[in-house]
């Protein structure tokens, strides 16, 4: 399989990259710094165009939209959550996902069984809504919404779409107190991506296979 993973330089994306590479897949990991990875800043349309040129003509069997930011962890309702933080978060977590899918759509369409995985969060849920982190929650809810609607539009093209909560994971974002390791998260996510198909397209699942409430 040719697998494209955004934000592959650290955290969950890095673990997915390393596991798929070790399993012998052809992996295009992206990072905004480039280096050993293909260069992609998901907020920058020119960067998407450059990656699309680099991958022109190569089928993508699995696209994992993983890159994301959580900027408002410590904001307070009285005077926090500044407008610029909303813009920066949505540029990465929402527009970034959309532009990634849009720019690589020709590559996904080359494989009639291609899959798109969007790493959202349990914080996308309207049902489970404990308050706080308004910006991150809204951005992940929007990413979930994108995935649900893309599932409909991409079904005739044969592309299956899954939206995932990767667990509360010990990464720079999740912090040391998080519940699971990147190894546990990535192993579960890979199982989920393997089982994704046309019948389950549009699903919102946790890394360990539970249906997540919307
Ligand atoms: N950890 C958790 O508990 C948890 C829970 C639920 C959902 N998630 C989601 O899981 C995904 C991965 O999270 P993580 O815990 O692995 O986070 P992380 O360790 O903070 O890594 C985030 C990754 O996203 C990349 N990224 C951020 N902004 C980018 C941009 N504009 N362009 C390209 N890449 C960008 C980062 O690259 P740089 O190194 O350049 O910053 C990094 O590779 C995210 O979508 C996150 O929201 C995580």
């Amino acid at each position: 399989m040719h697998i494209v993973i955004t934000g592959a330089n650290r955290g969950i994306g890095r673990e997915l990259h390393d596991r798929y590479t070790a399993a012998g897949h052809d992996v295009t990991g992206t990072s905004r710094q480039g280096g050993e990875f293909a260069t992609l800043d998901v907020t920058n349309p020119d960067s998407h165009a450059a990656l699309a040129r680099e991958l022109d003509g190569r089928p993508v069997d699995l696209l994992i939209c993983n890159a994301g930011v959580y900027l408002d962890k410590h904001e307070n309702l009285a005077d926090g959550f500044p407008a610029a933080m909303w813009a920066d978060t949505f540029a990465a977590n929402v527009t970034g996902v959309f532009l990634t899918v849009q720019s690589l759509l020709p590559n996904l369409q080359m494989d009639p069984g291609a899959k798109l995985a969007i790493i959202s969060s349990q914080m996308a849920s309207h049902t489970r809504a404990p308050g706080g982190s308004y910006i991150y929650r809204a951005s992940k809810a929007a990413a979930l919404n994108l995935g649900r609607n893309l599932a409909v539009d991409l079904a005739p093209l044969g592309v299956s779409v899954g939206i995932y909560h990767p667990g509360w994971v010990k990464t720079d974002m999740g912090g040391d107190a998080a519940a699971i390791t990147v190894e546990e998260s990535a192993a579960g996510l890979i199982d989920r991506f393997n089982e994704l198909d046309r019948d389950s397209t549009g699903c919102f699942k946790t890394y360990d296979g539970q249906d997540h409430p919307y």
Side-chain angles (χ1 to χ4, degrees), residues 97-109:
V97 171
F98 182 80
L99 293 178
T100 302
V101 177
Q102 188 179 48
S103 65
L104 296 180
L105 204 47
N107 309 73
L108 284 168
Q109 285 184 75

Side-chain angles (χ1 to χ4, degrees), residues 121-122 124-128 144 204-206 210-214:
S121 168
Q122 64 183 353
S125 176
H126 306 305
T127 308
R128 181 193 170 279
L144 169 60
F204 180 28
K205 285 196 175 285
T206 63
Q210 314 294 313
D211 286 325
H212 202 291
Y214 292 101

Side-chain angles (χ1 to χ4, degrees), residues 7-13 31-33 40-43 66-69 92-93 119-122 136 140 165-174 178:
N9 56 301
R10 60 190 172 95
I12 298 164
S31 153
R32 51 182 157 182
Q33 291 83 20
L40 178 65
D41 179 340
V42 297
T43 66
N66 164 79
V69 293
N93 294 2
I119 307 300
S120 178
S121 168
Q122 64 183 353
Y136 183 75
K140 288 299 185 179
H165 169 53
W168 183 25
V169 192
K170 292 182 207 297
T171 61
D172 294 336
M173 184 185 293

